[in-house]
Protein backbone atom coordinates (compact mmCIF):
# COMPACT_ATOMS: atom_id res chain seq x y z
CA UNK A 1 0.00 0.00 0.00
CA UNK A 2 1.02 3.61 -0.53
CA UNK A 3 2.05 5.74 2.43
CA UNK A 4 -0.67 7.20 4.63
CA UNK A 5 -1.44 10.86 3.96
CA UNK A 6 -2.40 13.46 6.56
CA UNK A 7 -4.71 16.48 6.24
CA UNK A 8 -4.13 19.09 8.97
CA UNK A 9 -7.38 20.68 10.19
CA UNK A 10 -6.07 23.15 12.83
CA UNK A 11 -6.70 26.24 10.71
CA UNK A 12 -10.34 25.33 9.99
CA UNK A 13 -12.12 22.54 11.82
CA UNK A 14 -9.69 22.41 14.74
CA UNK A 15 -10.44 25.91 15.97
CA UNK A 16 -14.04 25.81 14.69
CA UNK A 17 -14.75 22.76 16.83
CA UNK A 18 -13.02 23.97 19.98
CA UNK A 19 -13.34 27.73 20.06
CA UNK A 20 -16.13 28.86 17.78
CA UNK A 21 -13.80 29.63 14.83
CA UNK A 22 -12.17 32.58 16.58
CA UNK A 23 -8.55 32.04 15.50
CA UNK A 24 -7.36 35.25 13.87
CA UNK A 25 -5.40 35.52 10.63
CA UNK A 26 -2.55 37.28 12.44
CA UNK A 27 -2.25 34.23 14.70
CA UNK A 28 -1.91 31.95 11.69
CA UNK A 29 0.60 33.81 9.53
CA UNK A 30 3.79 33.38 11.64
CA UNK A 31 3.62 29.58 11.62
CA UNK A 32 2.43 28.92 8.05
CA UNK A 33 5.84 28.48 6.46
CA UNK A 34 6.80 25.95 9.14
CA UNK A 35 3.54 24.08 8.57
CA UNK A 36 4.40 24.04 4.88
CA UNK A 37 7.52 22.01 5.73
CA UNK A 38 5.71 19.28 7.67
CA UNK A 39 4.80 17.15 4.66
CA UNK A 40 1.03 17.23 5.00
CA UNK A 41 -1.04 16.02 2.06
CA UNK A 42 -3.16 19.14 2.52
CA UNK A 43 -4.09 21.83 5.03
CA UNK A 44 -7.76 22.61 5.61
CA UNK A 45 -7.76 26.38 5.99
CA UNK A 46 -11.08 27.78 4.74
CA UNK A 47 -14.79 27.15 4.37
CA UNK A 48 -17.09 25.78 7.04
CA UNK A 49 -17.75 28.60 9.50
CA UNK A 50 -14.51 30.52 8.85
CA UNK A 51 -16.09 32.90 6.34
CA UNK A 52 -19.01 33.74 8.62
CA UNK A 53 -16.81 34.13 11.69
CA UNK A 54 -14.39 36.45 9.88
CA UNK A 55 -17.03 38.98 8.90
CA UNK A 56 -19.38 38.53 11.88
CA UNK A 57 -16.94 38.48 14.78
CA UNK A 58 -13.37 39.23 13.73
CA UNK A 59 -13.85 42.09 11.25
CA UNK A 60 -11.51 40.28 8.87
CA UNK A 61 -11.82 39.80 5.13
CA UNK A 62 -12.02 36.00 4.61
CA UNK A 63 -10.81 36.36 1.04
CA UNK A 64 -7.74 38.25 2.19
CA UNK A 65 -7.10 35.53 4.79
CA UNK A 66 -7.09 32.95 2.01
CA UNK A 67 -4.75 35.02 -0.16
CA UNK A 68 -2.32 35.51 2.73
CA UNK A 69 -2.29 31.81 3.56
CA UNK A 70 -1.63 30.98 -0.08
CA UNK A 71 1.23 33.50 -0.14
CA UNK A 72 2.98 31.70 2.73
CA UNK A 73 2.11 28.09 1.82
CA UNK A 74 3.90 27.18 -1.40
CA UNK A 75 4.21 23.40 -1.28
CA UNK A 76 1.09 22.07 0.45
CA UNK A 77 -2.38 21.85 -1.06
CA UNK A 78 -4.96 24.16 0.51
CA UNK A 79 -8.37 22.66 1.22
CA UNK A 80 -11.81 24.02 2.09
CA UNK A 81 -15.22 22.69 3.14
CA UNK A 82 -18.31 23.61 1.10
CA UNK A 83 -21.95 22.77 1.82
CA UNK A 84 -22.94 22.21 -1.80
CA UNK A 85 -25.84 24.40 -2.87
CA UNK A 86 -25.75 26.08 0.60
CA UNK A 87 -22.16 27.23 -0.04
CA UNK A 88 -21.13 28.66 3.36
CA UNK A 89 -24.51 30.19 4.22
CA UNK A 90 -27.77 28.76 5.50
CA UNK A 91 -30.00 28.57 2.42
CA UNK A 92 -29.72 27.25 -1.10
CA UNK A 93 -28.18 29.68 -3.58
CA UNK A 94 -28.68 29.96 -7.32
CA UNK A 95 -26.33 28.06 -9.63
CA UNK A 96 -24.67 31.25 -10.89
CA UNK A 97 -23.77 32.26 -7.32
CA UNK A 98 -22.43 28.77 -6.63
CA UNK A 99 -20.25 28.90 -9.74
CA UNK A 100 -18.92 32.38 -9.01
CA UNK A 101 -18.07 31.45 -5.42
CA UNK A 102 -16.15 28.35 -6.51
CA UNK A 103 -14.38 30.22 -9.31
CA UNK A 104 -13.10 32.85 -6.89
CA UNK A 105 -12.23 30.30 -4.17
CA UNK A 106 -9.92 28.53 -6.58
CA UNK A 107 -8.60 31.80 -8.03
CA UNK A 108 -7.72 33.04 -4.52
CA UNK A 109 -5.80 29.92 -3.58
CA UNK A 110 -7.90 26.82 -2.89
CA UNK A 111 -6.75 23.52 -4.44
CA UNK A 112 -9.16 20.96 -2.97
CA UNK A 113 -12.85 21.57 -2.32
CA UNK A 114 -14.56 19.05 -0.06
CA UNK A 115 -18.22 19.35 -0.95
CA UNK A 116 -21.10 17.69 0.87
CA UNK A 117 -24.86 17.84 1.20
CA UNK A 118 -26.52 17.50 4.58
CA UNK A 119 -29.03 14.99 3.18
CA UNK A 120 -26.62 13.18 0.84
CA UNK A 121 -28.89 14.39 -1.96
CA UNK A 122 -26.45 14.40 -4.87
CA UNK A 123 -28.67 16.80 -6.81
CA UNK A 124 -27.47 19.46 -4.38
CA UNK A 125 -23.86 18.71 -5.40
CA UNK A 126 -24.30 18.98 -9.17
CA UNK A 127 -23.65 22.71 -9.58
CA UNK A 128 -20.68 22.68 -7.21
CA UNK A 129 -19.05 19.68 -8.85
CA UNK A 130 -19.49 21.12 -12.32
CA UNK A 131 -17.89 24.41 -11.27
CA UNK A 132 -14.99 22.76 -9.41
CA UNK A 133 -14.13 20.76 -12.52
CA UNK A 134 -14.59 23.80 -14.79
CA UNK A 135 -12.03 25.83 -12.84
CA UNK A 136 -9.58 22.93 -12.47
CA UNK A 137 -10.01 22.31 -8.75
CA UNK A 138 -9.85 18.92 -7.05
CA UNK A 139 -13.41 17.81 -6.29
CA UNK A 140 -13.63 15.75 -3.12
CA UNK A 141 -17.18 14.53 -2.54
CA UNK A 142 -18.05 13.82 1.08
CA UNK A 143 -20.67 11.41 2.32
CA UNK A 144 -22.37 12.71 5.47
CA UNK A 145 -22.04 9.64 7.66
CA UNK A 146 -24.80 8.74 10.04
CA UNK A 147 -26.60 5.62 11.22
CA UNK A 148 -30.26 4.67 10.78
CA UNK A 149 -32.29 1.84 9.29
CA UNK A 150 -31.68 3.32 5.82
CA UNK A 151 -28.03 4.37 6.26
CA UNK A 152 -26.47 0.97 5.67
CA UNK A 153 -23.09 0.03 4.22
CA UNK A 154 -24.88 -0.77 0.96
CA UNK A 155 -26.43 2.73 0.97
CA UNK A 156 -22.98 4.34 1.20
CA UNK A 157 -21.50 2.03 -1.44
CA UNK A 158 -24.18 3.09 -3.92
CA UNK A 159 -23.73 6.74 -2.95
CA UNK A 160 -19.99 6.58 -3.64
CA UNK A 161 -20.61 4.89 -7.00
CA UNK A 162 -22.91 7.75 -7.93
CA UNK A 163 -20.40 10.38 -6.82
CA UNK A 164 -17.66 8.75 -8.86
CA UNK A 165 -19.90 8.67 -11.93
CA UNK A 166 -20.60 12.38 -11.40
CA UNK A 167 -16.87 13.17 -11.60
CA UNK A 168 -15.52 13.10 -8.05
CA UNK A 169 -11.70 13.10 -7.81
CA UNK A 170 -11.70 11.62 -4.28
CA UNK A 171 -14.17 10.61 -1.58
CA UNK A 172 -14.36 11.65 2.08
CA UNK A 173 -16.23 9.72 4.74
CA UNK A 174 -17.36 12.69 6.81
CA UNK A 175 -18.13 11.43 10.31
CA UNK A 176 -19.23 14.84 11.59
CA UNK A 177 -20.71 13.54 14.84
CA UNK A 178 -17.91 11.10 15.65
CA UNK A 179 -20.27 8.12 15.64
CA UNK A 180 -18.52 5.82 13.15
CA UNK A 181 -17.22 2.88 15.15
CA UNK A 182 -13.92 1.11 14.37
CA UNK A 183 -15.21 -2.20 13.05
CA UNK A 184 -18.03 -0.61 11.05
CA UNK A 185 -15.41 1.67 9.51
CA UNK A 186 -13.22 -1.29 8.61
CA UNK A 187 -16.14 -2.99 6.86
CA UNK A 188 -17.26 0.20 5.09
CA UNK A 189 -13.79 1.07 3.79
CA UNK A 190 -13.17 -2.48 2.60
CA UNK A 191 -16.48 -2.46 0.70
CA UNK A 192 -15.77 0.97 -0.82
CA UNK A 193 -12.31 -0.16 -1.93
CA UNK A 194 -14.01 -2.96 -3.86
CA UNK A 195 -16.08 -0.54 -5.95
CA UNK A 196 -13.82 2.47 -6.45
CA UNK A 197 -10.17 3.28 -7.05
CA UNK A 198 -10.66 6.90 -5.95
CA UNK A 199 -8.60 8.00 -2.92
CA UNK A 200 -10.59 7.67 0.32
CA UNK A 201 -10.25 10.15 3.18
CA UNK A 202 -11.71 9.84 6.69
CA UNK A 203 -12.82 12.74 8.87
CA UNK A 204 -14.04 12.30 12.45
CA UNK A 205 -14.24 13.96 15.88
CA UNK A 206 -12.96 12.78 19.25
CA UNK A 207 -16.16 13.55 21.18
CA UNK A 208 -17.20 9.95 21.79
CA UNK A 209 -13.74 8.71 22.77
CA UNK A 210 -13.15 6.24 19.92
CA UNK A 211 -11.46 8.36 17.22
CA UNK A 212 -7.94 6.93 17.54
CA UNK A 213 -9.26 3.35 17.47
CA UNK A 214 -11.35 4.30 14.46
CA UNK A 215 -8.31 5.61 12.61
CA UNK A 216 -6.28 2.49 13.44
CA UNK A 217 -8.90 0.18 11.91
CA UNK A 218 -9.40 2.56 8.98
CA UNK A 219 -5.68 2.48 8.17
CA UNK A 220 -5.69 -1.29 8.41
CA UNK A 221 -8.60 -1.32 5.94
CA UNK A 222 -6.65 0.83 3.47
CA UNK A 223 -7.87 4.39 4.02
CA UNK A 224 -5.65 6.75 2.00
CA UNK A 225 -5.91 9.99 4.00
CA UNK A 226 -6.93 10.89 7.57
CA UNK A 227 -7.81 14.27 9.08
CA UNK A 228 -5.89 15.29 12.22
CA UNK A 229 -5.31 18.48 14.22
CA UNK A 230 -2.08 19.68 15.79
CA UNK A 231 -2.20 18.66 19.48
CA UNK A 232 -3.04 22.05 21.11
CA UNK A 233 -6.15 22.21 18.91
CA UNK A 234 -7.02 18.51 19.00
CA UNK A 235 -9.23 16.24 21.09
CA UNK A 236 -12.73 16.76 22.44
CA UNK A 237 -14.97 18.02 19.67
CA UNK A 238 -11.94 18.37 17.36
CA UNK A 239 -9.84 15.75 15.55
CA UNK A 240 -7.17 13.38 16.96
CA UNK A 241 -3.66 14.84 17.47
CA UNK A 242 -1.40 14.96 14.42
CA UNK A 243 1.90 14.27 16.21
CA UNK A 244 0.62 11.26 18.16
CA UNK A 245 -0.77 9.56 15.08
CA UNK A 246 2.29 10.43 12.99
CA UNK A 247 4.44 8.66 15.59
CA UNK A 248 2.08 5.68 15.90
CA UNK A 249 1.73 5.13 12.16
CA UNK A 250 5.48 5.60 11.59
CA UNK A 251 5.85 2.09 13.02
CA UNK A 252 4.00 0.53 10.11
CA UNK A 253 4.80 0.18 6.42
CA UNK A 254 2.50 3.12 5.58
CA UNK A 255 4.59 5.66 7.53
CA UNK A 256 3.23 9.15 6.68
CA UNK A 257 6.83 10.43 6.87
CA UNK A 258 6.04 13.79 8.42
CA UNK A 259 8.82 16.18 9.45
CA UNK A 260 8.60 15.70 13.22
CA UNK A 261 10.91 18.60 14.01
CA UNK A 262 8.68 21.00 12.09
CA UNK A 263 5.57 19.37 13.55
CA UNK A 264 6.76 19.87 17.12
CA UNK A 265 7.57 23.51 16.33
CA UNK A 266 3.99 23.96 15.09
CA UNK A 267 2.66 22.41 18.32
CA UNK A 268 4.80 24.68 20.50
CA UNK A 269 3.60 27.71 18.57
CA UNK A 270 -0.09 26.96 19.14
CA UNK A 271 0.17 26.10 22.87
CA UNK A 272 0.21 29.72 24.16
CA UNK A 273 -2.53 30.65 21.68
CA UNK A 274 -4.69 27.82 23.01
CA UNK A 275 -3.94 28.87 26.59
CA UNK A 276 -4.91 32.47 25.82
CA UNK A 277 -8.30 31.44 24.46
CA UNK A 278 -8.86 29.13 27.43
CA UNK A 279 -8.07 31.98 29.85
CA UNK A 280 -10.53 34.21 27.98
CA UNK A 281 -13.23 31.53 28.11
CA UNK A 282 -13.47 31.29 24.34
CA UNK A 283 -12.15 27.74 24.55
CA UNK A 284 -14.30 26.13 27.22
CA UNK A 285 -12.58 23.15 28.84
CA UNK A 286 -15.88 21.26 28.61
CA UNK A 287 -15.48 20.81 24.85
CA UNK A 288 -12.27 18.88 25.52
CA UNK A 289 -14.06 16.27 27.61
CA UNK A 290 -15.07 12.86 26.29
CA UNK A 291 -18.84 12.49 25.97
CA UNK A 292 -20.00 8.94 25.14
CA UNK A 293 -23.56 10.29 24.95
CA UNK A 294 -22.58 11.25 21.42
CA UNK A 295 -22.56 7.56 20.53
CA UNK A 296 -25.92 6.99 22.19
CA UNK A 297 -27.82 9.98 20.80
CA UNK A 298 -25.88 10.37 17.52
CA UNK A 299 -25.66 14.09 18.27
CA UNK A 300 -22.51 16.11 17.36
CA UNK A 301 -20.60 17.49 20.33
CA UNK A 302 -21.09 21.08 19.23
CA UNK A 303 -24.81 20.47 19.00
CA UNK A 304 -24.89 19.09 22.55
CA UNK A 305 -23.22 22.18 23.97
CA UNK A 306 -25.44 24.45 21.91
CA UNK A 307 -28.60 22.74 23.15
CA UNK A 308 -27.46 23.13 26.74
CA UNK A 309 -26.73 26.81 26.15
CA UNK A 310 -30.20 27.37 24.69
CA UNK A 311 -31.82 25.56 27.61
CA UNK A 312 -29.93 27.66 30.13
CA UNK A 313 -31.35 30.76 28.45
CA UNK A 314 -34.83 29.28 28.90
CA UNK A 315 -34.13 28.22 32.52
CA UNK A 316 -34.93 24.68 31.42
CA UNK A 317 -31.68 22.83 32.15
CA UNK A 318 -33.65 20.18 34.05
CA UNK A 319 -35.19 19.09 30.74
CA UNK A 320 -31.84 18.54 29.00
CA UNK A 321 -32.09 14.75 29.09
CA UNK A 322 -35.68 14.96 27.79
CA UNK A 323 -34.50 16.99 24.80
CA UNK A 324 -31.68 14.55 24.09
CA UNK A 325 -34.17 11.69 24.10
CA UNK A 326 -36.46 13.67 21.79
CA UNK A 327 -33.74 14.30 19.16
CA UNK A 328 -33.73 10.72 17.75
CA UNK A 329 -37.55 10.68 17.75
CA UNK A 330 -37.67 13.89 15.71
CA UNK A 331 -35.00 12.55 13.40
CA UNK A 332 -37.04 9.39 12.79
CA UNK A 333 -40.21 11.42 12.15
CA UNK A 334 -38.35 13.52 9.57
CA UNK A 335 -36.87 10.65 7.58
CA UNK A 336 -33.53 10.23 9.40
CA UNK A 337 -31.66 13.32 8.18
CA UNK A 338 -27.93 13.27 9.09
CA UNK A 339 -27.20 15.62 11.97
CA UNK A 340 -24.92 18.06 10.19
CA UNK A 341 -25.31 21.78 9.46
CA UNK A 342 -27.98 22.97 8.88
CA UNK A 343 -30.05 19.88 9.76
CA UNK A 344 -28.42 19.42 13.17
CA UNK A 345 -29.54 22.87 14.29
CA UNK A 346 -33.01 22.36 12.82
CA UNK A 347 -33.63 18.96 14.42
CA UNK A 348 -32.21 20.13 17.74
CA UNK A 349 -34.41 23.21 17.79
CA UNK A 350 -37.51 21.17 16.94
CA UNK A 351 -36.74 18.71 19.75
CA UNK A 352 -36.30 21.64 22.12
CA UNK A 353 -39.66 23.15 21.08
CA UNK A 354 -41.42 19.79 21.43
CA UNK A 355 -40.21 19.41 25.02
CA UNK A 356 -40.67 23.01 26.17
CA UNK A 357 -44.20 23.38 24.73
CA UNK A 358 -45.29 19.99 26.04
CA UNK A 359 -46.83 19.12 22.67
CA UNK A 360 -44.92 17.65 19.74
CA UNK A 361 -44.86 19.94 16.67
CA UNK A 362 -47.11 22.53 18.25
CA UNK A 363 -44.42 25.08 17.36
CA UNK A 364 -42.50 24.45 14.13
CA UNK A 365 -39.67 26.65 12.79
CA UNK A 366 -39.89 27.83 9.17
CA UNK A 367 -36.76 25.85 8.33
CA UNK A 368 -38.42 22.58 9.37
CA UNK A 369 -41.48 23.43 7.26
CA UNK A 370 -39.23 24.11 4.27
CA UNK A 371 -37.40 20.83 4.85
CA UNK A 372 -40.66 18.86 4.92
CA UNK A 373 -41.71 20.64 1.69
CA UNK A 374 -38.54 19.33 0.03
CA UNK A 375 -36.81 22.69 -0.25
CA UNK A 376 -33.60 21.32 1.28
CA UNK A 377 -33.64 18.18 -0.85
CA UNK A 378 -34.97 14.66 -0.56
CA UNK A 379 -35.18 13.12 2.90
CA UNK A 380 -33.21 9.85 3.22
CA UNK A 381 -36.39 7.99 4.23
CA UNK A 382 -40.10 8.75 4.01
CA UNK A 383 -41.38 11.40 6.41
CA UNK A 384 -44.15 10.19 8.69
CA UNK A 385 -47.45 11.19 6.99
CA UNK A 386 -49.17 12.30 10.18
CA UNK A 387 -46.18 14.43 11.11
CA UNK A 388 -46.03 15.87 7.60
CA UNK A 389 -49.72 16.82 7.82
CA UNK A 390 -49.21 18.45 11.20
CA UNK A 391 -46.22 20.48 9.98
CA UNK A 392 -47.30 21.66 6.50
CA UNK A 393 -50.96 20.74 6.20
CA UNK A 394 -51.90 20.31 2.55
CA UNK A 395 -48.96 22.28 1.16
CA UNK A 396 -47.28 20.75 -1.88
CA UNK A 397 -44.01 18.83 -1.53
CA UNK A 398 -41.58 19.55 -4.35
CA UNK A 399 -39.74 16.73 -6.11
CA UNK A 400 -37.42 18.75 -8.37
CA UNK A 401 -33.87 19.76 -7.52
CA UNK A 402 -34.44 22.63 -5.05
CA UNK A 403 -32.06 24.98 -6.88
CA UNK A 404 -34.16 24.64 -10.04
CA UNK A 405 -36.64 26.94 -8.32
CA UNK A 406 -34.05 29.69 -7.76
CA UNK A 407 -33.53 32.22 -10.54
CA UNK A 408 -30.00 33.50 -11.32
CA UNK A 409 -29.16 36.01 -8.59
CA UNK A 410 -25.52 37.12 -8.69
CA UNK A 411 -26.02 40.19 -10.87
CA UNK A 412 -29.08 41.18 -8.85
CA UNK A 413 -27.04 40.86 -5.64
CA UNK A 414 -24.28 42.98 -7.15
CA UNK A 415 -26.83 45.68 -7.96
CA UNK A 416 -28.40 45.42 -4.50
CA UNK A 417 -25.03 45.69 -2.75
CA UNK A 418 -24.27 48.83 -4.73
CA UNK A 419 -21.34 50.92 -3.57
CA UNK A 420 -20.81 48.66 -0.54
CA UNK A 421 -19.21 46.00 -2.74
CA UNK A 422 -16.03 46.96 -4.58
CA UNK A 423 -15.22 43.45 -5.84
CA UNK A 424 -17.04 40.25 -6.79
CA UNK A 425 -15.68 38.77 -3.55
CA UNK A 426 -17.49 41.55 -1.67
CA UNK A 427 -20.69 40.76 -3.57
CA UNK A 428 -20.47 37.13 -2.47
CA UNK A 429 -20.02 38.16 1.17
CA UNK A 430 -23.15 40.28 0.79
CA UNK A 431 -25.07 37.45 -0.92
CA UNK A 432 -24.17 34.87 1.73
CA UNK A 433 -24.62 37.04 4.81
CA UNK A 434 -26.83 40.02 3.92
CA UNK A 435 -27.58 40.85 7.55
CA UNK A 436 -23.98 41.29 8.69
CA UNK A 437 -22.04 41.91 5.47
CA UNK A 438 -23.11 45.59 5.02
CA UNK A 439 -21.62 46.56 8.37
CA UNK A 440 -18.51 44.52 7.63
CA UNK A 441 -18.05 46.04 4.16
CA UNK A 442 -18.45 49.52 5.58
CA UNK A 443 -15.76 48.78 8.14
CA UNK A 444 -13.52 47.15 5.54
CA UNK A 445 -13.29 50.38 3.60
CA UNK A 446 -13.35 52.62 6.67
CA UNK A 447 -10.12 52.56 8.67
CA UNK A 448 -11.87 53.99 11.72
CA UNK A 449 -14.19 51.00 12.10
CA UNK A 450 -13.59 48.49 14.91
CA UNK A 451 -14.45 44.87 15.45
CA UNK A 452 -17.04 45.86 18.04
CA UNK A 453 -19.21 47.18 15.21
CA UNK A 454 -19.74 43.66 13.88
CA UNK A 455 -23.10 42.25 14.92
CA UNK A 456 -22.78 39.23 17.22
CA UNK A 457 -25.79 37.06 16.58
CA UNK A 458 -26.59 33.59 15.26
CA UNK A 459 -23.68 32.22 17.28
CA UNK A 460 -25.43 28.86 17.34
CA UNK A 461 -24.57 28.39 13.69
CA UNK A 462 -20.88 29.10 14.26
CA UNK A 463 -20.31 26.77 17.18
CA UNK A 464 -21.83 23.59 15.81
CA UNK A 465 -19.20 21.17 14.55
CA UNK A 466 -19.35 20.35 10.85
Amino acid sequence: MSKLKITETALRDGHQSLMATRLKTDEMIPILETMDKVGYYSMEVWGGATFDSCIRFLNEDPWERLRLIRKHVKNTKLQMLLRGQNLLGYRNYADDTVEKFIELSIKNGIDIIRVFDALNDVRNLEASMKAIKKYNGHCQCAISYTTSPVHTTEYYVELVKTMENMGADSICIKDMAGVLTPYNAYDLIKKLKEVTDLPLELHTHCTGGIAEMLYMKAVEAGIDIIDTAISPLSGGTSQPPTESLAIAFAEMDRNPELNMEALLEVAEYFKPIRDKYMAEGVLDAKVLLTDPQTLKYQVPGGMLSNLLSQMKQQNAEDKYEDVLNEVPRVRKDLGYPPLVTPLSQMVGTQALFNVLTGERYKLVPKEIKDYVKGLYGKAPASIDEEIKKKIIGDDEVITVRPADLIAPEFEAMKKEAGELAKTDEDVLAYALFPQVAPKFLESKYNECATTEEVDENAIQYITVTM
Side-chain angles (χ1 to χ4, degrees):
M1 287 188 188
S2 59
K3 77 173 185 178
L4 179 66
K5 297 176 182 177
I6 305 287
T7 290
E8 174 62 60
T9 68
L11 301 184
R12 202 289 293 178
D13 203 13
H15 73 107
Q16 179 175 320
S17 295
L18 296 183
M19 54 193 212
T21 333
R22 293 302 199 276
L23 199 62
K24 300 177 179 66
T25 302
D26 287 347
E27 294 168 323
M28 302 177 184
I29 299 301
I31 198 61
L32 289 176
E33 292 179 15
T34 303
M35 295 180 78
D36 198 24
K37 298 174 184 176
V38 169
Y40 298 120
Y41 166 70
S42 67
M43 290 164 52
E44 189 192 39
V45 301
W46 215 59
T50 61
F51 198 104
D52 191 347
S53 185
C54 276
I55 68 172
R56 193 184 298 271
F57 303 115
L58 304 178
N59 201 32
E60 291 186 5
D61 185 341
W63 297 100
E64 180 61 15
R65 171 182 289 191
L66 176 56
R67 288 189 289 267
L68 285 169
I69 293 173
R70 180 79 282 172
K71 179 181 177 181
H72 291 275
V73 179
K74 305 291 188 182
N75 305 307
T76 310
K77 296 181 180 72
L78 297 185
Q79 183 166 318
M80 72 169 291
L81 180 69
L82 194 75
R83 293 197 290 269
Q85 209 73 31
N86 293 162
L87 294 177
L88 305 179
Y90 304 106
R91 67 169 177 88
N92 282 335
Y93 297 89
D95 289 346
D96 65 332
T97 301
V98 170
E99 178 174 338
K100 179 61 70 173
F101 187 90
I102 288 169
E103 175 191 358
L104 293 179
S105 297
I106 293 171
K107 179 181 177 181
N108 281 280
I110 288 296
D111 299 298
I112 301 170
I113 298 181
R114 178 180 294 173
V115 58
F116 76 98
D117 177 66
L119 295 172
N120 289 318
D121 187 339
V122 294
R123 299 175 304 168
N124 290 332
L125 303 180
E126 290 174 3
S128 297
M129 295 180 70
K130 183 178 178 181
I132 295 168
K133 305 294 283 187
K134 178 177 179 179
Y135 296 105
N136 300 312
H138 176 109
C139 179
Q140 183 178 87
C141 285
I143 60 175
S144 296
Y145 182 84
T146 189
T147 60
S148 79
V150 297
H151 291 96
T152 62
T153 298
E154 291 70 28
Y155 167 92
Y156 291 118
V157 167
E158 292 304 314
L159 182 59
V160 167
K161 287 181 183 178
T162 300
M163 289 173 167
E164 181 171 16
N165 289 336
M166 292 172 68
D169 295 308
S170 62
I171 299 293
C172 175
I173 302 168
K174 181 176 168 56
D175 178 26
M176 59 280 174
V179 298
L180 177 57
T181 52
Y183 289 97
N184 281 334
Y186 184 89
D187 179 59
L188 174 60
I189 293 163
K190 282 289 190 183
K191 293 285 176 57
L192 293 180
K193 284 288 183 179
E194 292 174 2
V195 299
T196 182
D197 292 325
L198 294 179
L200 295 182
E201 186 158 357
L202 178 57
H203 175 92
T204 194
H205 294 261
C206 298
T207 323
I210 60 173
E212 286 85 352
M213 290 183 284
L214 167 64
Y215 277 175
M216 180 64 76
K217 293 303 293 182
V219 170
E220 289 176 2
I223 200 74
D224 298 286
I225 314 162
I226 57 172
D227 287 5
T228 65
I230 199 70
S231 55
L233 295 175
S234 72
T237 52
S238 181
Q239 282 73 54
T242 306
E243 312 97 293
S244 304
L245 292 179
I247 292 169
F249 290 127
E251 298 176 353
M252 61 181 294
D253 58 0
R254 300 190 61 202
N255 184 352
E257 299 176 356
L258 297 188
N259 180 336
M260 290 306 298
E261 184 178 342
L263 202 54
L264 294 175
E265 184 179 337
V266 175
E268 288 303 311
Y269 174 82
F270 278 110
K271 284 179 182 178
I273 293 176
R274 173 202 59 193
D275 294 345
K276 181 193 77 168
Y277 283 107
M278 287 190 77
E280 293 175 354
V282 175
L283 200 171
D284 190 328
K286 289 181 180 179
V287 303
L288 295 171
L289 302 177
T290 300
D291 191 350
Q293 285 189 107
T294 298
L295 304 175
K296 176 182 177 182
Y297 296 112
Q298 308 281 295
V299 174
M303 182 178 168
L304 285 170
S305 59
N306 188 55
L307 277 174
L308 183 57
S309 175
Q310 290 183 2
M311 297 189 73
K312 284 181 179 177
Q313 294 172 15
Q314 300 291 329
N315 294 317
E317 293 174 73
D318 60 314
K319 292 185 171 59
Y320 181 59
E321 197 74 23
D322 294 335
V323 173
L324 287 181
N325 282 304
E326 179 66 4
V327 167
R329 288 195 287 264
V330 170
R331 188 167 168 254
K332 179 181 178 181
D333 292 342
L334 299 181
Y336 296 106
L339 294 178
V340 64
T341 300
L343 270 303
S344 52
Q345 293 93 329
M346 291 159 55
V347 170
T349 299
Q350 186 62 65
L352 181 66
F353 285 174
N354 287 358
V355 170
L356 294 186
T357 61
E359 181 181 338
R360 305 185 79 233
Y361 304 103
K362 178 180 181 179
L363 185 61
V364 180
K366 177 182 181 299
E367 291 80 4
I368 290 289
K369 292 179 180 179
D370 287 346
Y371 165 77
V372 173
K373 290 177 184 178
L375 294 174
Y376 283 86
K378 184 179 180 181
S382 298
I383 297 175
D384 183 277
E385 287 299 324
E386 288 186 16
I387 299 297
K388 184 187 297 183
K389 182 81 171 177
K390 193 165 188 177
I391 292 174
I392 63 170
D394 296 322
D395 287 358
E396 181 183 0
V397 176
I398 70 161
T399 56
V400 300
R401 184 181 74 111
D404 288 341
L405 304 176
I406 308 174
E409 60 183 348
F410 183 76
E411 291 302 321
M413 285 293 180
K414 181 183 290 188
K415 185 176 181 180
E416 185 177 314
E419 292 299 314
L420 281 172
K422 310 295 185 187
T423 66
D424 283 352
E425 286 89 344
D426 291 342
V427 175
L428 287 165
Y430 181 87
L432 266 62
F433 302 103
Q435 294 167 340
V436 296
K439 199 170 284 189
F440 163 73
L441 291 172
E442 287 175 3
S443 69
K444 176 182 174 181
Y445 296 109
N446 178 359
E447 293 181 1
C448 296
T450 65
T451 54
E452 281 73 22
E453 291 178 344
V454 180
D455 181 22
E456 291 222 4
N457 57 48
I459 190 171
Q460 64 269 28
Y461 291 115
I462 303 296
T463 58
V464 174
T465 298
M466 290 187 292

